[in-house]
Amino acid sequence: MEKEEAETFLKSLLNKNLRIETTDGRLFIGTFKCTDTHSNVVLSLTYEYRQPSQQKLAEAAAAAASAGSAKVAADMTSRYLGLVVIPGEHIVKMEVEEFASQVKSRSIFERKDLYGGR
């Protein structure tokens, strides 16, 4: 991808909700504000989600076994962080959180600009 194309793509993501997974298993969901030359990403209005601890998983497994259920359910823990900087070296995956209704509401001209049409 050329530099100009990359800049255009990043500009199209501004103020969109991103879901970012990090190397330590955390998940951040927030509004994309900017990035830098080191691939660090700044998100605003961000929530952090963590996988349950081994103790919580063991408790959930014991509860499921005593209830006779084959499925084990354990919720991720979450907290509101606000404005965060996520180091680029720790980003495993980035996804745009966009719903079908949001895509359909855009004009055809906007979609061409977003997806590389001229």
Side-chain angles (χ1 to χ4, degrees):
M1 190 181 277
E2 292 180 30
K3 183 178 178 181
E4 188 177 306
E5 287 179 69
E7 285 179 13
T8 302
F9 177 71
L10 284 173
K11 285 179 183 177
S12 75
L13 295 178
L14 285 174
N15 298 314
K16 297 260 172 105
N17 287 334
L18 294 186
R19 189 178 11 219
I20 299 178
E21 290 182 33
T22 57
T23 54
D24 61 1
R26 290 183 291 170
L27 176 69
F28 295 90
I29 298 176
T31 305
F32 177 63
K33 290 300 177 185
C34 66
T35 187
D36 62 15
T37 56
H38 302 291
S39 301
N40 300 322
V41 173
V42 176
L43 299 177
S44 67
L45 305 172
T46 306
Y47 284 86
E48 173 195 46
Y49 296 89
R50 291 176 178 244
Q51 297 292 334
S53 66
Q54 292 298 323
Q55 179 184 356
K56 296 252 185 203
L57 287 174
E59 290 170 4
S66 66
S69 175
K71 287 188 176 182
V72 176
D75 292 331
M76 295 177 81
T77 56
S78 67
R79 64 182 177 157
Y80 178 74
L81 298 177
L83 190 67
V84 297
V85 177
I86 303 169
E89 65 189 31
H90 295 294
I91 295 174
V92 174
K93 182 164 73 168
M94 278 180 33
E95 300 173 307
V96 177
E97 194 170 65
E98 190 170 53
F99 301 100
S101 61
Q102 292 170 311
V103 174
K104 288 178 186 175
S105 69
R106 277 192 250 137
S107 74
I108 188 72
F109 300 111
E110 281 183 70
R111 281 188 252 151
K112 280 184 181 177
D113 291 344
L114 286 176
Y115 300 117
R118 306 254 179 213

